[in-house]
């Protein structure tokens, strides 16, 4: 088990019995671990109460860091050290943390439109995004993505995405272009649930009188905010925030047959599963459960070609492997620079058409003969160049784009993937505490583990890898017992202004108890509507249709000391 520099400092402080400071920096992130974590050192790695010895190591021996201080979300796994990849890991980290720009290598390539200037803006402290009161792309901690769709019926949270902007709608653009969505016109307001929830439970207090509050976002975007031609009409908007990126390589190591067995078991138990993932009649994967449109050619680490991989990442289960989706593809989608695994442009025909029709854009290009859009310098020539260079559907664009030099080198892309697959999970804390043990007991009794499955065992970890880094090893996690506390299956909670399409992958709970010390916030659920564990649990009880209603209703009726024990357990794993 690797002992990081910050962990050695932590141990020294513990030995000297010095209290941890309570101050914080400008982002509200406390500089050290909670003081109560000092007392568990002598128990780490030992069976205590209803916890086995290996539950101290949620990422297994290869994927857990002993560090539980501020910054522990940034630690590398032992697998990184075993392969001698620390230099690559540290280099890859810079691509996550640095702001991108238009022309300064190796952090160049931002635009012509983009969602953010850096990855860490969305994943503050490497964790879950923070709740926002307004939508500003580059506010640190704003992990929100706009989900813009045509509702099946007025106010519905289901319906197809609009085609005028990209699936990850961009609110930034490089001069002289205008952003596809003008964020100054995005309206975000928060509302509190009053009185009684549709389930019949109180939305404001427990039966013993302890108060709580449930809030939810409402977001609207007027037609005038869209710099597209045509502009979309009849739209609804939902928010989805980022989750923590710690331990994501370990999720990649869970075998597909283990995931299939989980789906089959839940289907046999009567669970209502997303038909886009599981064909209940056939007792097998639905054809749409496989991710097949890889952004770059690739194969498994042992050289085996595969036609598709089962989806396991994102709330909507849209990605199958870190090396193509949740990690590599996001660099292209969010920052919009080109690289060895992302050769295509991420725009829409409607935005390209609008920019080609915009006289302000044309005039700005006309004043700059060095612009790649200048063409012959006439209005018509510039408009044609803008349309063809920005439109992903034109043959002219395709021919020219592939002549551009990649803005991220293969070596740097490889380093980024070493870093992303090499992020550790911090060890568990306070498992010797009687309240934590009671919390675990209640968690199991209430049935929470039916969705938040505690443990998995990884397989050989024959991971998929793009051909561009073929033969270059990535951190690997074979045969590890891990404790993510997720079934990696989608369920529905039927919340007010729910996630688009209702289906939401069960979020892993591991390491979340250290969110405050790492990110400065504890916001939970897909849109950060829950500001703590209590609110997150009670949103599970909003409707009796919720797949988790019975468990949440049991929590609602617990005495306060038992509710507190459940929360303490969640903060410890």
């Amino acid at each position: 088990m690797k002992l990081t520099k910050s962990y050695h400092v932590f141990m020294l402080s513990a030995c000297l019995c010095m209290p941890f400071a309570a101050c914080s920096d400008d982002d509200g992130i406390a500089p050290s671990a909670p003081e109560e974590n000092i007392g568990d050192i002598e128990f780490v790695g030992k069976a205590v109460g209803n916890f086995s010895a290996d539950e101290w190591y949620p990422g297994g021996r290869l994927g857990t860091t002993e560090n539980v201080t501020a910054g522990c979300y940034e630690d590398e796994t032992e697998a990184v050290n075993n392969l001698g990849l620390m230099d690559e890991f540290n280099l890859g980290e810079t691509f996550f943390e640095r702001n991108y720009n238009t022309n300064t290598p190796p952090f160049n390539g931002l635009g012509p439109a983009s969602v953010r200037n850096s990855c860490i803006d969305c994943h503050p402290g490497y964790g879950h995004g923070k709740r926002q009161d307004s939508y500003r792309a580059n506010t640190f901690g704003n992990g929100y993505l706009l989900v813009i769709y045509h509702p099946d019926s007025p106010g519905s949270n289901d319906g197809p995405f609009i085609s005028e902007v990209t699936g990850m709608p961009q609110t930034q653009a490089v001069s002289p272009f205008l952003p596809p969505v003008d964020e100054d016109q995005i309206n975000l307001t928060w509302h509190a649930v009053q009185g009684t929830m549709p389930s019949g439970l109180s939305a404001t207090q427990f039966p013993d009188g302890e108060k709580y509050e449930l809030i939810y976002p409402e977001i609207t975007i007027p037609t005038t905010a869209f710099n597209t031609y045509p502009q979309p009409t009849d739209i609804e908007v939902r928010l989805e925030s980022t989750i923590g990126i710690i331990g994501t390589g370990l999720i990649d190591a869970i075998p597909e047959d283990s995931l299939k067995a989980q789906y089959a078991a839940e289907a046999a138990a009567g669970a209502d599963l997303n038909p886009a993932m599981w064909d209940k009649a056939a007792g097998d994967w639905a054809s749409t459960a496989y991710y097949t449109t890889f952004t770059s050619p690739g194969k498994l680490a042992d050289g085996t070609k595969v036609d598709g991989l089962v989806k396991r990442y994102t709330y909507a289960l849209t990605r199958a492997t870190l090396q193509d989706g949740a990690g590599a593809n996001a660099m292209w989608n969010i920052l919009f620079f080109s690289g060895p695994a992302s050769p295509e442009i991420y725009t829409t025909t409607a935005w390209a058409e609008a920019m080609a029709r915009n006289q302000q854009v044309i005039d700005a290009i006309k004043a700059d003969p060095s612009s790649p859009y200048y063409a012959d310098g006439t209005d018509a020539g510039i408009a044609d160049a803008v349309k063809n260079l920005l439109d992903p559907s034109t043959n002219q664009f395709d021919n020219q784009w592939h002549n551009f030099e990649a803005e991220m080198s293969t070596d740097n892309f490889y380093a980024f993937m070493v870093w992303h697959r090499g992020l550790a999970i911090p060890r568990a804390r306070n498992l010797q505490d009687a309240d934590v043990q009671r919390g675990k007991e209640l968690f199991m009794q209430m049935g929470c583990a039916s969705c938040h499955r505690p443990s998995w065992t990884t397989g050989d970890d024959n991971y998929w890898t793009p051909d561009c880094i073929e033969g270059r090893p990535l951190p690997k996690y074979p045969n590890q017992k891990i404790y993510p506390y997720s079934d990696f299956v989608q369920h529905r909670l039927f919340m007010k202004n729910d996630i688009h399409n209702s289906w939401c992958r069960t979020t892993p709970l591991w390491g979340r108890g250290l969110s405050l010390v790492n990110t400065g916030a504890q916001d939970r659920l897909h849109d950060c509507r829950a500001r703590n564990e209590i609110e997150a649990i009670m949103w599970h009880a909003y409707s009796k249709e919720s797949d988790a209603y019975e468990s949440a209703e049991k929590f609602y009726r617990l005495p306060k000391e038992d509710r507190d024990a459940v929360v303490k357990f969640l903060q410890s794993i």
Side-chain angles (χ1 to χ4, degrees):
M1 195 67 57
K2 176 185 72 66
L3 300 182
T4 64
K5 178 180 178 181
S6 53
Y7 179 70
H8 285 300
V9 173
F10 166 70
M11 285 294 291
L12 177 60
S13 300
C15 293
L16 294 177
C17 298
M18 294 178 66
F20 286 90
C23 60
S24 61
D25 62 19
D26 291 341
D27 290 319
I29 302 175
S32 52
E35 188 171 352
E36 61 266 22
N37 290 340
I38 298 174
D40 64 13
I41 298 300
E42 64 180 289
F43 299 99
V44 173
K46 300 176 182 177
V48 286
N50 54 358
F51 289 97
S52 62
D54 59 7
E55 288 181 81
W56 288 99
Y57 307 107
R61 297 286 173 159
L62 286 177
T64 304
T65 175
E66 293 275 11
N67 182 15
V68 292
T69 63
C72 61
Y73 282 2
E74 303 175 29
D75 282 0
E76 74 278 5
T77 64
E78 189 63 26
V80 173
N81 288 305
N82 289 347
L83 288 172
L85 294 175
M86 273 308 300
D87 287 346
E88 290 82 357
F89 181 89
N90 290 332
L91 175 60
E93 180 179 70
T94 67
F95 292 102
F96 174 81
E97 295 185 346
R98 286 286 297 273
N99 280 345
Y100 284 77
N101 55 66
T102 56
N103 55 17
T104 308
F107 304 104
N108 60 308
L110 189 72
S114 61
V115 182
R116 295 290 191 279
N117 282 8
S118 74
C119 301
I120 201 168
D121 278 347
C122 287
H123 299 273
Y126 292 49
H128 194 287
K130 295 182 182 182
R131 191 180 68 86
Q132 305 292 311
D133 291 321
S134 62
Y135 190 94
R136 290 293 181 272
N138 285 321
T139 298
F140 181 77
N142 176 15
Y144 285 140
L145 295 175
L146 301 169
V147 181
I148 310 175
Y149 61 98
H150 295 297
D152 289 341
S153 58
S156 167
N157 65 303
D158 202 0
F161 289 100
I162 67 173
S163 61
E164 289 83 359
V165 298
T166 56
M168 294 183 180
Q170 300 147 329
T171 61
Q172 299 187 133
V174 172
S175 180
F177 302 119
L178 304 177
V181 184
D182 178 6
E183 65 180 23
D184 288 337
Q185 298 187 56
I186 298 173
N187 304 302
L188 172 59
T189 56
W190 289 88
H191 305 281
V193 180
Q194 303 293 333
T196 302
M197 294 184 277
S199 65
L201 304 185
S202 170
T204 59
Q205 66 179 27
F206 293 104
D208 57 18
E210 183 182 20
K211 305 288 186 181
Y212 64 91
E213 183 183 45
L214 299 182
I215 61 173
Y216 62 91
E218 180 179 37
I219 186 162
T220 58
I221 305 176
T223 299
T224 55
F226 292 90
N227 293 307
T228 61
Y229 185 87
Q231 294 173 312
T233 58
D234 184 28
I235 65 169
E236 290 281 343
V237 189
R238 295 291 184 267
L239 291 174
E240 287 185 20
S241 187
T242 50
I243 62 172
I245 56 175
I246 52 175
T248 40
L250 291 156
I251 297 171
D252 211 36
I254 297 173
E256 285 194 354
D257 58 359
S258 295
L259 291 170
K260 184 174 182 178
Q262 180 68 25
Y263 274 84
E266 293 193 22
D272 187 18
L273 302 180
N274 186 352
M277 287 296 297
W278 188 256
D279 185 334
K280 185 172 287 189
D284 203 349
W285 297 117
S287 60
T288 47
Y290 287 93
Y291 182 74
T292 58
T293 311
F294 299 108
T295 56
S296 178
K299 58 182 73 71
L300 300 183
D302 66 1
T304 304
K305 280 281 190 182
V306 291
D307 294 328
L309 298 169
V310 170
K311 301 169 186 174
R312 64 184 73 194
Y313 289 108
T314 76
Y315 294 114
L317 283 180
T318 56
R319 301 293 181 181
T321 173
L322 198 63
Q323 288 70 252
D324 182 76
N329 193 262
M331 293 288 281
W332 169 57
N333 287 347
I334 301 295
L335 302 160
F336 198 5
F337 60 81
S338 63
S342 52
E344 302 297 336
I345 195 169
Y346 192 53
T347 62
T348 65
T349 297
W351 182 63
E353 185 67 40
M355 294 304 96
R357 290 168 175 260
N358 189 289
Q359 192 62 46
Q360 177 183 336
V361 169
I362 292 173
D363 289 345
I365 294 172
K366 186 183 293 186
D368 180 15
S370 66
S371 170
Y373 308 95
Y374 186 77
D376 62 4
T378 66
D379 283 14
I382 292 172
D384 186 63
V386 168
K387 177 68 168 64
N388 289 327
L389 282 170
L390 295 185
D391 189 344
S393 69
T394 60
N395 291 327
Q396 296 97 317
F397 163 76
D398 190 61
N399 292 334
Q400 294 186 50
W401 177 255
H402 288 287
N403 291 325
F404 291 166
E405 183 178 350
E407 290 154 333
M408 178 181 242
S409 71
T410 299
D411 287 344
N412 288 343
F413 172 71
Y414 171 65
F416 178 77
M417 293 317 305
V418 168
W419 165 83
H420 207 331
R421 211 172 200 270
L423 288 171
I425 283 288
R427 71 158 172 82
R429 289 82 53 210
N430 305 316
L431 303 189
Q432 79 285 356
D433 187 287
D435 289 336
V436 174
Q437 294 172 14
R438 173 63 175 160
K440 179 185 178 182
E441 179 183 12
L442 291 165
F443 184 87
M444 300 301 178
Q445 288 178 357
M446 292 185 297
C448 304
S450 62
C451 295
H452 288 283
R453 171 178 166 170
S455 68
W456 294 79
T457 300
T458 64
D460 294 336
D461 197 8
N462 186 23
Y463 56 79
W464 186 93
T465 185
D467 287 345
C468 63
I469 57 172
E470 182 179 3
R472 306 181 75 172
L474 296 174
K476 195 171 183 176
Y477 308 99
N479 308 312
Q480 301 292 295
K481 190 168 186 180
I482 62 175
Y483 290 83
Y485 280 86
S486 172
D487 59 0
F488 301 104
V489 175
Q490 290 176 310
H491 300 282
R492 293 182 293 183
L493 300 184
F494 295 98
M495 298 182 288
K496 177 71 173 178
N497 282 11
D498 206 353
I499 191 171
H500 177 254
N501 197 33
S502 295
W503 295 102
C504 187
R505 189 198 74 166
T506 305
T507 299
L509 301 177
W510 57 1
R512 292 299 304 279
L514 291 168
S515 178
L516 183 62
V517 75
N518 279 279
T519 75
Q522 302 181 83
D523 301 321
R524 295 182 180 236
L525 298 183
H526 70 280
D527 54 11
C528 301
R529 66 176 63 197
R531 293 159 291 186
N532 52 52
E533 293 87 355
I534 293 287
E535 293 178 14
I537 294 170
M538 290 314 302
W539 269 114
H540 287 58
Y542 182 76
S543 168
K544 286 188 176 181
E545 292 183 89
S546 166
D547 291 349
Y549 172 74
E550 291 184 5
S551 295
E553 192 263 348
K554 290 175 183 177
F555 176 84
Y556 174 80
R557 302 198 184 283
L558 289 175
K560 176 174 171 48
E561 58 268 26
D562 280 348
R563 295 196 303 270
D564 290 346
V566 172
V567 170
K568 195 169 185 180
F569 161 72
L570 294 173
Q571 293 175 342
S572 298
I573 55 175

